[in-house]
Amino acid sequence: QVQLVESGGGSVQVGESLRLSCVASGYPYPTICMGWFRQVPGKEREGVATIDTDTGHIYYAESVKGRFTISQDTAKNTIHLQMNSLKPEDAAMYYCAADSLLRPCRESPVVADHFAYWARGTHVTVSS
């Protein structure tokens, strides 16, 4: 059974940094599409960053380009999201997601409904 486990959420001040991590286990496939979405109450889940673990192709939402960096540790089935220069509008529940197909990672923008596997979410709070 596929399982995604996140870590690294928390509360920070504006301009500070956080690093999220997500470990995938139980995955029978050597390469997968993985990434991060975020959601605030009353809004749809938004794709933040994804990575195609086969080609290394990366997608970033426009709102995080230049501030967030997604990376992978293939040997450990782990991805990270380094979030720098955090803003109040970055506050949300962040979800790690994965899919056995690589197509979801090659869409722009990425679509939450195209990802089959989800972690429980980790909260990020940014205070001014």
Side-chain angles (χ1 to χ4, degrees):
Q1 183 176 353
V2 176
Q3 186 176 20
L4 303 176
V5 179
E6 302 155 320
S7 61
S11 297
V12 296
Q13 300 288 318
V14 169
E16 293 185 342
S17 299
L18 274 176
R19 189 180 193 229
L20 306 182
S21 297
C22 177
V23 181
S25 62
Y27 224 102
Y29 310 102
T31 56
I32 57 174
C33 165
M34 294 184 71
W36 298 92
F37 288 75
R38 66 187 181 188
Q39 190 170 26
V40 297
K43 291 192 175 182
E44 292 188 357
R45 198 164 289 191
E46 171 194 23
V48 175
T50 61
I51 186 164
D52 174 336
T53 63
D54 179 30
T55 66
H57 173 74
I58 288 174
Y59 164 87
Y60 290 110
E62 284 295 326
S63 58
V64 306
K65 281 183 179 178
R67 299 187 299 120
F68 289 14
T69 302
I70 189 170
S71 60
Q72 63 172 318
D73 183 342
T74 306
K76 297 181 180 179
N77 290 335
T78 301
I79 61 170
H80 308 282
L81 184 67
Q82 178 66 42
M83 304 186 293
N84 297 331
S85 302
L86 283 160
K87 303 176 180 180
E89 53 263 42
D90 293 318
M93 185 71 80
Y94 282 71
Y95 297 91
C96 176
D99 198 86
S100 59
L101 299 177
L102 297 174
R103 179 176 57 85
C105 273
R106 296 171 185 172
E107 298 174 328
S108 181
V110 295
V111 179
D113 287 347
H114 295 173
F115 286 75
Y117 304 102
W118 291 87
R120 292 187 175 185
T122 185
H123 213 201
V124 172
T125 303
V126 184
S127 302
S128 56

